[in-house]
Every structure is written in C-alpha cells, then in structure tokens.
Amino acid sequence: MPQDELRFQYPLLALKFPDDETFASFYPGKNAELLTLLKNSVVGIGEPILYMWGESGSGRSHLLHALCSEIDERGESVAYIPLHHHRSMTLDIFENMENMTLVCIDNVDAIAGDKKWEKALFDFYNRWLDNKENRTPGASLVIAASDLPKQIGIELVDLVSRLEWGACHHLEPLNDEEKLGALQLRAQLKGMRLPIDVGRFLLNRLSREMCMLLNTLDQLDNASLEAKRKLTIPFVKEVLRL
C-alpha cells in the first residue's frame, strides 16, 4: 500500500507532523489569545471544544500540527484528520476517536454537501460529547475551517448546530508588517539573518501568501549557504531571477 494511502487510512500510526510548524514558529499577530488557548490545551486547561476559522494561508493547519506535536510528545493519544483528503479515507476513520486526548479536524468545509461524511462527523461529534467521563481530563476537540459553521456549505443542519458549540475564534490574517515579522521569526529559527530591506523587497515583489513567502525563504536559505553569501537585495534578485 502506498505510504500516502496508509497515512490517510491510519493517521495515528503513520502521521509525522512538520518540524517547522510549531508554536514557537507561529507568528501570532492579532491571534495571541487563540495561541494561548491552544497552548493551554497542552497542559489540560484548554477549551474542551474549539472551532477556529480563517482564510487560506492564515495558519490553521500550522496551529493544528503544533498542537498535535505537543500532545504526541507527551505520549498522549492524538488524531489529526485532514478532511481535504477525505476521498482517500474511509468513513470509519472516526471510530473510537471519542476516547482520545486530542482530536484535530482540519478543513471541515471540504466535506460540505457530502451527506455520508457529514453524517459520519455528526455521529462522531455526538460520541465525543457523550464520552466525556471516559476520556483523559483536559481532552480537546479542535476543528478548523475557512469560515463560520453556517457559511461553509454544510447541509446537515444538526451538524452545523454541533459545530457552533464551544468556543469559536477567528484566525486573523497577518498584515504586511506582521508578515515581515513572521519572515524574520522563521529566519531566526533557521539561523538566518533577514535584513528588513530584504524582507520588504520580498513582500513587494512576490505573492503575499505566507506559504509562498516561507517557501521562498527556504530557497534563499539554501542558496545563501551554498554560495556562502549574505542575504542582500542583489543576491535575492539573482537567485529568484527578478
């Protein structure tokens, strides 16, 4: 069986979270309160149910990966379900997850309009609510989507109602100054020095999507190490052919 297929059928056995998507590497911007709530979940005092929503590139998956990594490192049971890959999964993926310390469900809007998946998630949600007494104290269910429950196209009304339970937080997108701060933080964690003028140049000349900017930073890091040169605007232009 291909590794990707194994990963989606048995996420607890084969899933490895990205090393660079941690709480330490997340630049909060206006999301300090949400970051604190998620960190509280690591020590068992977080929200029992948390729904967070934000536009693509706002860091939803980053935060879920970070939370899962922290709980996993403690030896607790963790499930991360990327529903944008639901066509590579089977409906029984939710079986017994109501017993886990942490369940993170990413991109729940990806199953909107799929009656079988909506019903499977609804049934799991009910089991999670009913199984509170049998779980580890402080267990959390964290769900991420692109918008509020009523705005993501879910057709099962009862599921929309369930998704509205618990705490709901908007993941605010970063403005340009905050994106510059995020780039400098990531550079610092990689042992790089990103001058402010170079960071502003990247923001002005490239896509402002954080995923694209961070990938470009990785490219520049590799090029800088190979050429043994500091990051300057002329060097960036040369590497990126701008």
Side-chain angles (χ1 to χ4, degrees):
M1 179 181 294
Q3 184 66 20
D4 283 347
E5 185 177 347
L6 177 67
R7 175 175 176 172
F8 297 138
Q9 287 193 352
Y10 304 100
L12 305 182
L13 300 179
L15 188 59
K16 185 179 186 301
F17 302 105
D19 294 336
D20 59 351
E21 294 188 359
T22 65
F23 286 138
S25 66
F26 182 79
Y27 190 87
K30 302 177 185 67
N31 300 296
E33 180 182 354
L34 174 58
L35 184 59
T36 297
L37 284 176
L38 293 171
K39 287 182 176 180
N40 285 344
S41 295
V42 177
V43 293
I45 57 173
E47 295 287 346
I49 300 175
L50 175 64
Y51 182 100
M52 64 176 176
W53 61 279
E55 64 184 39
S56 176
S58 58
R60 302 188 313 255
S61 296
H62 182 143
L63 287 173
L64 293 184
H65 292 158
L67 179 57
C68 287
S69 293
E70 292 275 353
I71 299 295
D72 184 57
E73 287 176 4
R74 290 175 46 192
E76 302 282 357
S77 54
V78 173
Y80 170 78
I81 311 299
L83 284 180
H84 48 290
H85 290 301
H86 70 280
R87 290 184 176 83
S88 300
M89 305 176 191
T90 55
L91 290 169
D92 60 359
I93 196 168
F94 294 112
E95 285 187 5
N96 299 318
M97 285 190 180
E98 63 272 13
N99 300 313
M100 295 184 174
T101 301
L102 173 68
V103 176
C104 289
I105 301 177
D106 204 357
N107 292 305
V108 70
D109 35 332
I111 63 167
D114 189 318
K115 294 181 179 180
K116 291 182 179 179
W117 275 96
E118 288 187 9
K119 181 63 163 56
L121 179 56
F122 174 72
D123 290 343
F124 159 71
Y125 208 114
N126 286 336
R127 294 197 305 273
W128 176 271
L129 294 173
D130 293 340
N131 200 50
K132 179 179 178 180
E133 301 301 323
N134 297 321
R135 283 193 301 273
T136 302
S140 295
L141 169 61
V142 183
I143 299 171
S146 62
D147 209 332
L148 291 165
K150 287 183 178 178
Q151 305 300 323
I152 58 175
I154 297 293
E155 296 178 357
L156 183 59
V157 176
D158 288 339
L159 176 57
V160 174
S161 176
R162 291 292 184 274
L163 293 174
E164 291 179 323
W165 287 23
C168 180
H169 285 267
H170 181 208
L171 190 54
E172 296 281 354
L174 301 180
N175 61 33
D176 283 355
E177 285 301 308
E178 291 165 341
K179 288 178 180 179
L180 177 59
L183 285 173
Q184 290 185 305
L185 172 62
R186 187 63 64 92
Q188 178 184 351
L189 293 172
K190 293 170 70 66
M192 300 171 59
R193 180 179 177 274
L194 178 66
I196 292 179
D197 63 329
V198 175
R200 293 194 190 282
F201 176 80
L202 294 175
L203 286 169
N204 290 332
R205 295 294 297 272
L206 302 177
S207 166
R208 283 178 163 80
E209 292 186 10
M210 281 308 303
C211 182
M212 178 71 72
L213 289 169
L214 293 174
N215 287 339
T216 300
L217 189 65
D218 288 340
Q219 180 184 352
L220 293 173
D221 182 31
N222 293 332
S224 175
L225 291 172
E226 184 176 344
K228 297 181 180 179
R229 292 174 59 182
K230 295 180 180 179
L231 287 184
T232 62
I233 291 177
F235 180 65
V236 169
K237 286 182 176 180
E238 178 184 332
V239 173
L240 302 181
R241 299 181 180 179
L242 296 176

